[in-house]
Amino acid sequence: MAVAAATQTPGSKHNIEAMREAFYARIAKKDMAPLWKVMKNVVTKEPVTRTKPHVWPYADIKSLVMESGGLITAEEAERRVLILENPGMHGESRITNTMFAGVQMIMPGEVAPAHRHVSSAIRFILDGEGAYTAVEGEKAFMSPGDFVITANWAPHDHGNPSDKPMLWLDVLDFPAVNFYEASFAEHFDDATQETTRKDGDSLSFYGSGVLPDGTRTMNRSPVINYTYARTRPIIERMMQSGDIDKRHGARVRYANPVTGGPVLPTMGANLAMLPKGFKGEPYRSTDGAVFVCAEGRGTTDVDGEVLEWGKNDVFVVPPWKRYAHNASEQSVLFSISDRPAQEALGIWREGN
Ligand SMILES: [Fe+2]
């Protein structure tokens, strides 16, 4: 045996290298490999990411999504969505390693048919008025700034009875679900679901400081639509009272009102108001985040790269990259990340 021979007669440096390479070639045929050759790459000292910081200006998004409306119907497409592809991961349908983001449009009179899937989704509404998402028996009519959730395996469909196109940002956790190879999806015979609850029922029942008798604890929020009309005045009041975080501004976390936990087990979201002239202190955390500017104008410095944003622009900050927000006007930033999943696994960290 070559290895036995090596231990008996230690050779020159050249010989030992040759023997190692021969050994690696032999064990490769048995589907094995030496950890010591890859250790530094697989157990890194600090997070390594392929995610690049990037901005998608809304002017580009809107004109291209509108153009797609002339190419395919929502029903044909099932969902008419343009994927926001991270420039570091083209062709992989993701904006960070764990999240998908895209902008969906539904034209007047269109229906995006009912389906369900293991991946959880959130919508953040950008443009239009009067289209709805029907989920879990509730038909939620959406307005700009609303935050709508579609939990794991919840049937959902979208329709637009208004006379204007409606656009929203979709963020899903399917890159994470697919990492676990745990994806299921199914379609329904009927394009739209029967709804049994009125628009706003879930927010009224669960988001008002009281809970209906018999409310069960779930690992995700029972609220379907966290409306901008309800959330914006809260961050404005925080800002006016001086409750302004030096990194994040006057910020709230969208919460499951039954448990206080995140809205979904895999993704969590925030809404922040930055006063005019805000110069945020640097911050970093292991969750890469997708931001939408709901109001205002400013920049975010990500490791020396300046991302400029205005209303409805979408931008992404990679994991563990130091960033700081600056607001040239009073601004509102929505953000979403995989922080709840990382916290559940005990791997989330933050720093400055
Ligand atoms: Fe869906």
Side-chain angles (χ1 to χ4, degrees), residues 243-302:
D243 190 358
I244 304 169
D245 184 273
K246 289 189 166 85
R247 292 113 11 122
H248 306 301
R251 189 170 85 159
V252 290
R253 175 174 64 85
Y254 292 95
N256 175 341
V258 183
T259 64
V263 287
L264 294 165
T266 51
M267 297 188 292
N270 298 285
L271 195 71
M273 187 171 275
L274 312 179
K276 183 181 165 118
F278 180 77
K279 288 199 188 318
E281 291 184 359
Y283 176 77
R284 60 179 170 168
S285 57
T286 51
D287 52 322
V290 175
F291 289 86
V292 183
C293 167
E295 295 177 31
R297 178 162 299 281
T299 59
T300 297
D301 187 308
V302 187

Side-chain angles (χ1 to χ4, degrees), residues 95-96 98-99 122 147 171-173 251 262-270 283 285-291 317 323 334-343 348:
I95 191 161
T96 68
T98 58
M99 293 190 296
I122 67 92
F147 170 67
V171 179
L172 285 92
D173 56 15
R251 189 170 85 159
V263 287
L264 294 165
T266 51
M267 297 188 292
N270 298 285
Y283 176 77
S285 57
T286 51
D287 52 322
V290 175
F291 289 86
V317 173
Y323 69 92
F334 168 82
S335 61
I336 177 157
S337 81
D338 64 8
R339 177 173 166 174
Q342 292 197 28
E343 286 184 315
W348 183 78

Side-chain angles (χ1 to χ4, degrees), residues 79 115 117 123 156:
R79 295 294 185 266
H115 68 194
H117 36 72
R123 341 259 166 219
H156 54 282

Side-chain angles (χ1 to χ4, degrees), residues 174-231:
F174 66 66
V177 171
N178 290 341
F179 172 78
Y180 287 106
E181 299 178 332
S183 173
F184 293 89
E186 77 182 16
H187 301 88
F188 297 94
D189 294 336
D190 294 328
T192 55
Q193 310 168 64
E194 292 290 319
T195 48
T196 52
R197 296 201 304 207
K198 286 191 300 187
D199 182 18
D201 271 4
S202 69
L203 182 60
S204 170
F205 295 166
Y206 302 102
S208 307
V210 294
L211 294 172
D213 275 353
T215 298
R216 288 182 301 122
T217 299
M218 296 185 290
N219 70 351
R220 47 80 176 189
S221 177
V223 176
I224 302 302
N225 186 1
Y226 293 79
T227 64
Y228 201 57
R230 285 275 296 268
T231 315

